[in-house]
Amino acid sequence: DCRQYTNRSCEECLKNVTCLWCASSGRCVEYPIRRVLPPADLCELRSARWGVCWVNFEALIIAMSVVGGTILIMLGVCCCCCCKKKSKKPDKDDERAAREREKRRVRQEERRAEMKSRHDEIRRKYGTM
């Protein structure tokens, strides 16, 4: 039972993982496992300690929010950078492919014209025009 550690030290109270130390009242109480945060009538967030005595819930919430926000921002920036790189790369590939197609088309037209003129010469030579 956590109440037996009331008016003792925070370290003694928190040896039991199910206990919550309230620094303002010096009470050791059962952690309300049905709720994420302890209710204000049990203990204020700035006075509540759980796990370790040197971190209160208020500081823990702020630190976790900052770390979580930083991670989300970093993920967003990485996604934007990756999307921009991926969208630029196919454009360059598309341009290169279009240039190659155009060069092939021009060469094919030149070959057709050359073959046509050769065939016309042969027809004239043998009088089959």
Side-chain angles (χ1 to χ4, degrees):
D1 189 33
C2 293
R3 291 188 189 116
Q4 69 186 9
Y5 298 110
T6 298
N7 293 327
R8 291 192 187 173
S9 71
C10 175
E11 287 80 17
E12 287 181 47
C13 173
L14 296 183
K15 283 180 184 174
N16 186 349
V17 213
T18 61
C19 295
L20 172 77
W21 177 258
C22 189
S24 60
S25 64
R27 292 185 316 158
C28 187
V29 293
E30 290 283 329
Y31 187 87
I33 56 174
R34 294 188 197 280
R35 302 180 82 172
V36 176
L37 299 174
D41 60 334
L42 185 64
C43 189
E44 292 179 349
L45 287 179
R46 70 176 70 105
S47 299
R49 308 286 194 269
W50 182 69
V52 289
C53 293
W54 53 272
V55 177
N56 63 30
F57 269 96
E58 199 171 52
L60 185 66
I61 291 170
I62 292 170
M64 294 303 284
S65 299
V66 168
V67 169
T70 304
I71 289 172
L72 286 175
I73 289 171
M74 287 171 41
L75 285 172
V77 168
C78 287
C79 287
C80 288
C81 290
C82 290
C83 290
K84 284 184 180 179
K85 284 182 182 178
K86 285 182 181 178
S87 66
K88 286 183 181 178
K89 192 172 184 177
D91 289 342
K92 289 180 181 178
D93 290 342
D94 290 344
E95 288 175 17
R96 189 179 315 132
R99 283 194 302 266
E100 294 285 329
R101 278 194 304 271
E102 184 62 25
K103 284 180 184 177
R104 275 187 253 137
R105 189 186 65 74
V106 168
R107 276 185 279 166
Q108 188 176 11
E109 290 295 324
E110 289 172 354
R111 277 192 237 120
R112 274 192 193 139
E114 189 179 318
M115 289 299 285
K116 187 177 184 316
S117 67
R118 232 188 271 159
H119 288 143
D120 287 347
E121 270 182 50
I122 292 171
R123 285 187 190 109
R124 259 186 258 125
K125 181 178 177 182
Y126 293 105
T128 57
M129 286 198 94

PDB file of all heavy atoms in Angstrom, residues 27-58:
ATOM      1  N   ARG A  27       2.488  13.487   0.562  1.00  0.00           N
ATOM      2  CA  ARG A  27       1.714  12.247   0.583  1.00  0.00           C
ATOM      3  C   ARG A  27       2.188  11.293  -0.503  1.00  0.00           C
ATOM      4  O   ARG A  27       2.619  11.712  -1.570  1.00  0.00           O
ATOM      5  CB  ARG A  27       0.226  12.531   0.343  1.00  0.00           C
ATOM      6  CG  ARG A  27      -0.444  13.274   1.454  1.00  0.00           C
ATOM      7  CD  ARG A  27      -1.933  13.428   1.221  1.00  0.00           C
ATOM      8  NE  ARG A  27      -2.233  13.809  -0.177  1.00  0.00           N
ATOM      9  CZ  ARG A  27      -3.402  13.597  -0.751  1.00  0.00           C
ATOM     10  NH1 ARG A  27      -4.375  13.014  -0.092  1.00  0.00           N
ATOM     11  NH2 ARG A  27      -3.607  13.985  -1.990  1.00  0.00           N
ATOM     12  N   CYS A  28       2.065  10.021  -0.204  1.00  0.00           N
ATOM     13  CA  CYS A  28       2.332   8.965  -1.172  1.00  0.00           C
ATOM     14  C   CYS A  28       1.001   8.273  -1.431  1.00  0.00           C
ATOM     15  O   CYS A  28       0.385   7.737  -0.497  1.00  0.00           O
ATOM     16  CB  CYS A  28       3.365   7.990  -0.616  1.00  0.00           C
ATOM     17  SG  CYS A  28       3.927   6.761  -1.814  1.00  0.00           S
ATOM     18  N   VAL A  29       0.546   8.310  -2.667  1.00  0.00           N
ATOM     19  CA  VAL A  29      -0.768   7.751  -3.002  1.00  0.00           C
ATOM     20  C   VAL A  29      -0.651   6.811  -4.195  1.00  0.00           C
ATOM     21  O   VAL A  29       0.328   6.845  -4.929  1.00  0.00           O
ATOM     22  CB  VAL A  29      -1.790   8.874  -3.331  1.00  0.00           C
ATOM     23  CG1 VAL A  29      -2.108   9.698  -2.114  1.00  0.00           C
ATOM     24  CG2 VAL A  29      -1.278   9.757  -4.454  1.00  0.00           C
ATOM     25  N   GLU A  30      -1.666   5.991  -4.384  1.00  0.00           N
ATOM     26  CA  GLU A  30      -1.733   5.092  -5.539  1.00  0.00           C
ATOM     27  C   GLU A  30      -1.886   5.935  -6.809  1.00  0.00           C
ATOM     28  O   GLU A  30      -2.669   6.875  -6.840  1.00  0.00           O
ATOM     29  CB  GLU A  30      -2.934   4.149  -5.428  1.00  0.00           C
ATOM     30  CG  GLU A  30      -2.831   3.103  -4.360  1.00  0.00           C
ATOM     31  CD  GLU A  30      -1.921   1.947  -4.739  1.00  0.00           C
ATOM     32  OE1 GLU A  30      -1.833   1.619  -5.935  1.00  0.00           O
ATOM     33  OE2 GLU A  30      -1.292   1.409  -3.827  1.00  0.00           O
ATOM     34  N   TYR A  31      -1.141   5.585  -7.851  1.00  0.00           N
ATOM     35  CA  TYR A  31      -1.277   6.300  -9.116  1.00  0.00           C
ATOM     36  C   TYR A  31      -2.593   5.888  -9.755  1.00  0.00           C
ATOM     37  O   TYR A  31      -2.886   4.708  -9.886  1.00  0.00           O
ATOM     38  CB  TYR A  31      -0.111   5.959 -10.052  1.00  0.00           C
ATOM     39  CG  TYR A  31      -0.113   6.801 -11.301  1.00  0.00           C
ATOM     40  CD1 TYR A  31       0.508   8.031 -11.319  1.00  0.00           C
ATOM     41  CD2 TYR A  31      -0.763   6.369 -12.462  1.00  0.00           C
ATOM     42  CE1 TYR A  31       0.495   8.817 -12.459  1.00  0.00           C
ATOM     43  CE2 TYR A  31      -0.782   7.150 -13.598  1.00  0.00           C
ATOM     44  CZ  TYR A  31      -0.150   8.374 -13.586  1.00  0.00           C
ATOM     45  OH  TYR A  31      -0.166   9.148 -14.708  1.00  0.00           O
ATOM     46  N   PRO A  32      -3.406   6.870 -10.174  1.00  0.00           N
ATOM     47  CA  PRO A  32      -4.698   6.538 -10.803  1.00  0.00           C
ATOM     48  C   PRO A  32      -4.478   6.004 -12.215  1.00  0.00           C
ATOM     49  O   PRO A  32      -4.379   6.768 -13.168  1.00  0.00           O
ATOM     50  CB  PRO A  32      -5.448   7.864 -10.805  1.00  0.00           C
ATOM     51  CG  PRO A  32      -4.370   8.899 -10.780  1.00  0.00           C
ATOM     52  CD  PRO A  32      -3.207   8.300 -10.052  1.00  0.00           C
ATOM     53  N   ILE A  33      -4.385   4.694 -12.341  1.00  0.00           N
ATOM     54  CA  ILE A  33      -4.020   4.088 -13.632  1.00  0.00           C
ATOM     55  C   ILE A  33      -5.086   4.244 -14.707  1.00  0.00           C
ATOM     56  O   ILE A  33      -4.802   4.126 -15.884  1.00  0.00           O
ATOM     57  CB  ILE A  33      -3.669   2.589 -13.466  1.00  0.00           C
ATOM     58  CG1 ILE A  33      -4.816   1.842 -12.811  1.00  0.00           C
ATOM     59  CG2 ILE A  33      -2.396   2.423 -12.700  1.00  0.00           C
ATOM     60  CD1 ILE A  33      -4.632   0.348 -12.745  1.00  0.00           C
ATOM     61  N   ARG A  34      -6.304   4.530 -14.329  1.00  0.00           N
ATOM     62  CA  ARG A  34      -7.372   4.723 -15.314  1.00  0.00           C
ATOM     63  C   ARG A  34      -7.240   6.059 -16.038  1.00  0.00           C
ATOM     64  O   ARG A  34      -7.844   6.268 -17.072  1.00  0.00           O
ATOM     65  CB  ARG A  34      -8.743   4.641 -14.652  1.00  0.00           C
ATOM     66  CG  ARG A  34      -9.050   3.273 -14.105  1.00  0.00           C
ATOM     67  CD  ARG A  34     -10.493   3.220 -13.642  1.00  0.00           C
ATOM     68  NE  ARG A  34     -10.757   2.105 -12.774  1.00  0.00           N
ATOM     69  CZ  ARG A  34     -10.974   0.868 -13.178  1.00  0.00           C
ATOM     70  NH1 ARG A  34     -10.924   0.592 -14.455  1.00  0.00           N
ATOM     71  NH2 ARG A  34     -11.223  -0.081 -12.313  1.00  0.00           N
ATOM     72  N   ARG A  35      -6.454   6.967 -15.483  1.00  0.00           N
ATOM     73  CA  ARG A  35      -6.260   8.279 -16.100  1.00  0.00           C
ATOM     74  C   ARG A  35      -4.789   8.441 -16.460  1.00  0.00           C
ATOM     75  O   ARG A  35      -3.913   7.904 -15.799  1.00  0.00           O
ATOM     76  CB  ARG A  35      -6.658   9.371 -15.109  1.00  0.00           C
ATOM     77  CG  ARG A  35      -8.103   9.210 -14.645  1.00  0.00           C
ATOM     78  CD  ARG A  35      -8.463  10.268 -13.706  1.00  0.00           C
ATOM     79  NE  ARG A  35      -8.824  11.463 -14.472  1.00  0.00           N
ATOM     80  CZ  ARG A  35      -9.341  12.531 -13.917  1.00  0.00           C
ATOM     81  NH1 ARG A  35      -9.550  12.565 -12.627  1.00  0.00           N
ATOM     82  NH2 ARG A  35      -9.654  13.575 -14.650  1.00  0.00           N
ATOM     83  N   VAL A  36      -4.521   9.184 -17.507  1.00  0.00           N
ATOM     84  CA  VAL A  36      -3.133   9.409 -17.927  1.00  0.00           C
ATOM     85  C   VAL A  36      -2.442  10.338 -16.940  1.00  0.00           C
ATOM     86  O   VAL A  36      -1.329  10.068 -16.485  1.00  0.00           O
ATOM     87  CB  VAL A  36      -3.088  10.006 -19.358  1.00  0.00           C
ATOM     88  CG1 VAL A  36      -1.662  10.329 -19.759  1.00  0.00           C
ATOM     89  CG2 VAL A  36      -3.725   9.054 -20.341  1.00  0.00           C
ATOM     90  N   LEU A  37      -3.094  11.421 -16.607  1.00  0.00           N
ATOM     91  CA  LEU A  37      -2.536  12.393 -15.670  1.00  0.00           C
ATOM     92  C   LEU A  37      -3.305  12.331 -14.356  1.00  0.00           C
ATOM     93  O   LEU A  37      -4.520  12.132 -14.364  1.00  0.00           O
ATOM     94  CB  LEU A  37      -2.624  13.805 -16.254  1.00  0.00           C
ATOM     95  CG  LEU A  37      -1.867  14.041 -17.553  1.00  0.00           C
ATOM     96  CD1 LEU A  37      -2.167  15.423 -18.086  1.00  0.00           C
ATOM     97  CD2 LEU A  37      -0.383  13.868 -17.352  1.00  0.00           C
ATOM     98  N   PRO A  38      -2.612  12.536 -13.250  1.00  0.00           N
ATOM     99  CA  PRO A  38      -3.333  12.516 -11.970  1.00  0.00           C
ATOM    100  C   PRO A  38      -4.269  13.716 -11.868  1.00  0.00           C
ATOM    101  O   PRO A  38      -3.936  14.818 -12.307  1.00  0.00           O
ATOM    102  CB  PRO A  38      -2.217  12.605 -10.928  1.00  0.00           C
ATOM    103  CG  PRO A  38      -1.051  13.164 -11.642  1.00  0.00           C
ATOM    104  CD  PRO A  38      -1.181  12.763 -13.070  1.00  0.00           C
ATOM    105  N   PRO A  39      -5.461  13.528 -11.304  1.00  0.00           N
ATOM    106  CA  PRO A  39      -6.402  14.654 -11.194  1.00  0.00           C
ATOM    107  C   PRO A  39      -5.893  15.702 -10.212  1.00  0.00           C
ATOM    108  O   PRO A  39      -5.101  15.414  -9.315  1.00  0.00           O
ATOM    109  CB  PRO A  39      -7.681  13.987 -10.686  1.00  0.00           C
ATOM    110  CG  PRO A  39      -7.249  12.705 -10.079  1.00  0.00           C
ATOM    111  CD  PRO A  39      -5.997  12.288 -10.777  1.00  0.00           C
ATOM    112  N   ALA A  40      -6.353  16.942 -10.392  1.00  0.00           N
ATOM    113  CA  ALA A  40      -5.887  18.063  -9.573  1.00  0.00           C
ATOM    114  C   ALA A  40      -6.271  17.891  -8.106  1.00  0.00           C
ATOM    115  O   ALA A  40      -5.542  18.356  -7.222  1.00  0.00           O
ATOM    116  CB  ALA A  40      -6.435  19.374 -10.108  1.00  0.00           C
ATOM    117  N   ASP A  41      -7.393  17.224  -7.820  1.00  0.00           N
ATOM    118  CA  ASP A  41      -7.781  17.036  -6.420  1.00  0.00           C
ATOM    119  C   ASP A  41      -6.870  16.031  -5.707  1.00  0.00           C
ATOM    120  O   ASP A  41      -6.737  16.060  -4.494  1.00  0.00           O
ATOM    121  CB  ASP A  41      -9.247  16.617  -6.299  1.00  0.00           C
ATOM    122  CG  ASP A  41      -9.539  15.311  -7.012  1.00  0.00           C
ATOM    123  OD1 ASP A  41      -8.808  14.988  -7.965  1.00  0.00           O
ATOM    124  OD2 ASP A  41     -10.497  14.628  -6.602  1.00  0.00           O
ATOM    125  N   LEU A  42      -6.203  15.164  -6.461  1.00  0.00           N
ATOM    126  CA  LEU A  42      -5.243  14.223  -5.880  1.00  0.00           C
ATOM    127  C   LEU A  42      -3.911  14.910  -5.625  1.00  0.00           C
ATOM    128  O   LEU A  42      -3.357  14.834  -4.537  1.00  0.00           O
ATOM    129  CB  LEU A  42      -5.047  13.030  -6.813  1.00  0.00           C
ATOM    130  CG  LEU A  42      -4.174  11.898  -6.314  1.00  0.00           C
ATOM    131  CD1 LEU A  42      -4.811  11.251  -5.087  1.00  0.00           C
ATOM    132  CD2 LEU A  42      -4.004  10.861  -7.403  1.00  0.00           C
ATOM    133  N   CYS A  43      -3.397  15.621  -6.642  1.00  0.00           N
ATOM    134  CA  CYS A  43      -2.130  16.348  -6.524  1.00  0.00           C
ATOM    135  C   CYS A  43      -1.973  17.242  -7.754  1.00  0.00           C
ATOM    136  O   CYS A  43      -2.320  16.842  -8.864  1.00  0.00           O
ATOM    137  CB  CYS A  43      -0.971  15.364  -6.433  1.00  0.00           C
ATOM    138  SG  CYS A  43       0.596  16.140  -6.026  1.00  0.00           S
ATOM    139  N   GLU A  44      -1.430  18.448  -7.548  1.00  0.00           N
ATOM    140  CA  GLU A  44      -1.181  19.346  -8.686  1.00  0.00           C
ATOM    141  C   GLU A  44      -0.068  18.774  -9.557  1.00  0.00           C
ATOM    142  O   GLU A  44       0.828  18.095  -9.052  1.00  0.00           O
ATOM    143  CB  GLU A  44      -0.760  20.722  -8.182  1.00  0.00           C
ATOM    144  CG  GLU A  44      -1.839  21.482  -7.462  1.00  0.00           C
ATOM    145  CD  GLU A  44      -1.329  22.835  -6.983  1.00  0.00           C
ATOM    146  OE1 GLU A  44      -0.108  23.072  -7.031  1.00  0.00           O
ATOM    147  OE2 GLU A  44      -2.160  23.639  -6.580  1.00  0.00           O
ATOM    148  N   LEU A  45      -0.111  19.088 -10.844  1.00  0.00           N
ATOM    149  CA  LEU A  45       0.897  18.554 -11.769  1.00  0.00           C
ATOM    150  C   LEU A  45       2.307  19.001 -11.403  1.00  0.00           C
ATOM    151  O   LEU A  45       3.259  18.246 -11.554  1.00  0.00           O
ATOM    152  CB  LEU A  45       0.579  18.969 -13.209  1.00  0.00           C
ATOM    153  CG  LEU A  45      -0.592  18.267 -13.865  1.00  0.00           C
ATOM    154  CD1 LEU A  45      -0.789  18.807 -15.278  1.00  0.00           C
ATOM    155  CD2 LEU A  45      -0.388  16.778 -13.897  1.00  0.00           C
ATOM    156  N   ARG A  46       2.463  20.234 -10.913  1.00  0.00           N
ATOM    157  CA  ARG A  46       3.808  20.707 -10.592  1.00  0.00           C
ATOM    158  C   ARG A  46       4.367  20.050  -9.343  1.00  0.00           C
ATOM    159  O   ARG A  46       5.574  20.081  -9.116  1.00  0.00           O
ATOM    160  CB  ARG A  46       3.841  22.226 -10.490  1.00  0.00           C
ATOM    161  CG  ARG A  46       3.124  22.798  -9.277  1.00  0.00           C
ATOM    162  CD  ARG A  46       3.290  24.306  -9.198  1.00  0.00           C
ATOM    163  NE  ARG A  46       2.551  24.959 -10.255  1.00  0.00           N
ATOM    164  CZ  ARG A  46       1.414  25.607 -10.059  1.00  0.00           C
ATOM    165  NH1 ARG A  46       0.905  25.714  -8.864  1.00  0.00           N
ATOM    166  NH2 ARG A  46       0.786  26.152 -11.062  1.00  0.00           N
ATOM    167  N   SER A  47       3.512  19.426  -8.542  1.00  0.00           N
ATOM    168  CA  SER A  47       3.965  18.752  -7.322  1.00  0.00           C
ATOM    169  C   SER A  47       4.022  17.237  -7.477  1.00  0.00           C
ATOM    170  O   SER A  47       4.611  16.557  -6.635  1.00  0.00           O
ATOM    171  CB  SER A  47       3.031  19.083  -6.159  1.00  0.00           C
ATOM    172  OG  SER A  47       3.021  20.458  -5.902  1.00  0.00           O
ATOM    173  N   ALA A  48       3.403  16.707  -8.495  1.00  0.00           N
ATOM    174  CA  ALA A  48       3.327  15.257  -8.667  1.00  0.00           C
ATOM    175  C   ALA A  48       4.641  14.706  -9.201  1.00  0.00           C
ATOM    176  O   ALA A  48       5.232  15.248 -10.130  1.00  0.00           O
ATOM    177  CB  ALA A  48       2.193  14.915  -9.628  1.00  0.00           C
ATOM    178  N   ARG A  49       5.080  13.608  -8.598  1.00  0.00           N
ATOM    179  CA  ARG A  49       6.298  12.921  -9.027  1.00  0.00           C
ATOM    180  C   ARG A  49       5.943  11.451  -9.226  1.00  0.00           C
ATOM    181  O   ARG A  49       5.256  10.844  -8.403  1.00  0.00           O
ATOM    182  CB  ARG A  49       7.395  13.006  -7.966  1.00  0.00           C
ATOM    183  CG  ARG A  49       7.727  14.384  -7.452  1.00  0.00           C
ATOM    184  CD  ARG A  49       8.521  15.163  -8.487  1.00  0.00           C
ATOM    185  NE  ARG A  49       9.131  16.360  -7.927  1.00  0.00           N
ATOM    186  CZ  ARG A  49       8.557  17.544  -7.907  1.00  0.00           C
ATOM    187  NH1 ARG A  49       7.335  17.674  -8.353  1.00  0.00           N
ATOM    188  NH2 ARG A  49       9.186  18.594  -7.440  1.00  0.00           N
ATOM    189  N   TRP A  50       6.449  10.886 -10.313  1.00  0.00           N
ATOM    190  CA  TRP A  50       6.215   9.467 -10.572  1.00  0.00           C
ATOM    191  C   TRP A  50       7.425   8.912 -11.307  1.00  0.00           C
ATOM    192  O   TRP A  50       7.878   9.493 -12.291  1.00  0.00           O
ATOM    193  CB  TRP A  50       4.965   9.280 -11.415  1.00  0.00           C
ATOM    194  CG  TRP A  50       4.644   7.845 -11.684  1.00  0.00           C
ATOM    195  CD1 TRP A  50       4.222   6.916 -10.786  1.00  0.00           C
ATOM    196  CD2 TRP A  50       4.740   7.178 -12.932  1.00  0.00           C
ATOM    197  NE1 TRP A  50       4.038   5.713 -11.387  1.00  0.00           N
ATOM    198  CE2 TRP A  50       4.354   5.838 -12.728  1.00  0.00           C
ATOM    199  CE3 TRP A  50       5.120   7.561 -14.206  1.00  0.00           C
ATOM    200  CZ2 TRP A  50       4.337   4.895 -13.731  1.00  0.00           C
ATOM    201  CZ3 TRP A  50       5.087   6.629 -15.214  1.00  0.00           C
ATOM    202  CH2 TRP A  50       4.697   5.307 -14.983  1.00  0.00           C
ATOM    203  N   GLY A  51       7.968   7.834 -10.847  1.00  0.00           N
ATOM    204  CA  GLY A  51       9.146   7.225 -11.467  1.00  0.00           C
ATOM    205  C   GLY A  51      10.429   7.740 -10.859  1.00  0.00           C
ATOM    206  O   GLY A  51      11.213   6.990 -10.308  1.00  0.00           O
ATOM    207  N   VAL A  52      10.657   9.039 -10.957  1.00  0.00           N
ATOM    208  CA  VAL A  52      11.838   9.677 -10.372  1.00  0.00           C
ATOM    209  C   VAL A  52      11.409  10.938  -9.639  1.00  0.00           C
ATOM    210  O   VAL A  52      10.433  11.585 -10.009  1.00  0.00           O
ATOM    211  CB  VAL A  52      12.899  10.034 -11.443  1.00  0.00           C
ATOM    212  CG1 VAL A  52      13.578   8.797 -11.985  1.00  0.00           C
ATOM    213  CG2 VAL A  52      12.315  10.848 -12.562  1.00  0.00           C
ATOM    214  N   CYS A  53      12.159  11.298  -8.619  1.00  0.00           N
ATOM    215  CA  CYS A  53      11.774  12.434  -7.778  1.00  0.00           C
ATOM    216  C   CYS A  53      12.129  13.787  -8.385  1.00  0.00           C
ATOM    217  O   CYS A  53      11.555  14.801  -8.019  1.00  0.00           O
ATOM    218  CB  CYS A  53      12.443  12.304  -6.404  1.00  0.00           C
ATOM    219  SG  CYS A  53      11.809  10.906  -5.466  1.00  0.00           S
ATOM    220  N   TRP A  54      13.052  13.837  -9.298  1.00  0.00           N
ATOM    221  CA  TRP A  54      13.531  15.119  -9.806  1.00  0.00           C
ATOM    222  C   TRP A  54      12.750  15.647 -11.006  1.00  0.00           C
ATOM    223  O   TRP A  54      13.013  16.739 -11.499  1.00  0.00           O
ATOM    224  CB  TRP A  54      15.027  15.061 -10.122  1.00  0.00           C
ATOM    225  CG  TRP A  54      15.422  13.932 -11.018  1.00  0.00           C
ATOM    226  CD1 TRP A  54      15.763  12.667 -10.643  1.00  0.00           C
ATOM    227  CD2 TRP A  54      15.504  13.957 -12.438  1.00  0.00           C
ATOM    228  NE1 TRP A  54      16.047  11.901 -11.737  1.00  0.00           N
ATOM    229  CE2 TRP A  54      15.913  12.667 -12.859  1.00  0.00           C
ATOM    230  CE3 TRP A  54      15.286  14.925 -13.407  1.00  0.00           C
ATOM    231  CZ2 TRP A  54      16.090  12.346 -14.186  1.00  0.00           C
ATOM    232  CZ3 TRP A  54      15.477  14.596 -14.730  1.00  0.00           C
ATOM    233  CH2 TRP A  54      15.877  13.315 -15.100  1.00  0.00           C
ATOM    234  N   VAL A  55      11.754  14.895 -11.507  1.00  0.00           N
ATOM    235  CA  VAL A  55      10.945  15.366 -12.636  1.00  0.00           C
ATOM    236  C   VAL A  55       9.475  15.412 -12.211  1.00  0.00           C
ATOM    237  O   VAL A  55       8.920  14.410 -11.789  1.00  0.00           O
ATOM    238  CB  VAL A  55      11.089  14.442 -13.860  1.00  0.00           C
ATOM    239  CG1 VAL A  55      10.187  14.891 -14.989  1.00  0.00           C
ATOM    240  CG2 VAL A  55      12.510  14.382 -14.331  1.00  0.00           C
ATOM    241  N   ASN A  56       8.859  16.588 -12.345  1.00  0.00           N
ATOM    242  CA  ASN A  56       7.429  16.660 -12.058  1.00  0.00           C
ATOM    243  C   ASN A  56       6.632  16.505 -13.358  1.00  0.00           C
ATOM    244  O   ASN A  56       7.189  16.586 -14.448  1.00  0.00           O
ATOM    245  CB  ASN A  56       7.066  17.954 -11.322  1.00  0.00           C
ATOM    246  CG  ASN A  56       7.328  19.198 -12.135  1.00  0.00           C
ATOM    247  OD1 ASN A  56       7.252  19.181 -13.359  1.00  0.00           O
ATOM    248  ND2 ASN A  56       7.641  20.282 -11.471  1.00  0.00           N
ATOM    249  N   PHE A  57       5.361  16.268 -13.237  1.00  0.00           N
ATOM    250  CA  PHE A  57       4.517  16.027 -14.414  1.00  0.00           C
ATOM    251  C   PHE A  57       4.454  17.239 -15.326  1.00  0.00           C
ATOM    252  O   PHE A  57       4.408  17.098 -16.548  1.00  0.00           O
ATOM    253  CB  PHE A  57       3.103  15.623 -13.985  1.00  0.00           C
ATOM    254  CG  PHE A  57       2.937  14.146 -13.844  1.00  0.00           C
ATOM    255  CD1 PHE A  57       3.052  13.529 -12.619  1.00  0.00           C
ATOM    256  CD2 PHE A  57       2.672  13.374 -14.949  1.00  0.00           C
ATOM    257  CE1 PHE A  57       2.899  12.172 -12.502  1.00  0.00           C
ATOM    258  CE2 PHE A  57       2.518  12.008 -14.839  1.00  0.00           C
ATOM    259  CZ  PHE A  57       2.636  11.401 -13.606  1.00  0.00           C
ATOM    260  N   GLU A  58       4.440  18.411 -14.777  1.00  0.00           N
ATOM    261  CA  GLU A  58       4.360  19.631 -15.587  1.00  0.00           C
ATOM    262  C   GLU A  58       5.573  19.735 -16.507  1.00  0.00           C
ATOM    263  O   GLU A  58       5.442  19.954 -17.714  1.00  0.00           O
ATOM    264  CB  GLU A  58       4.273  20.843 -14.665  1.00  0.00           C
ATOM    265  CG  GLU A  58       3.737  22.082 -15.317  1.00  0.00           C
ATOM    266  CD  GLU A  58       3.492  23.165 -14.278  1.00  0.00           C
ATOM    267  OE1 GLU A  58       4.400  23.478 -13.489  1.00  0.00           O
ATOM    268  OE2 GLU A  58       2.365  23.687 -14.281  1.00  0.00           O
TER     269      GLU A  58
END
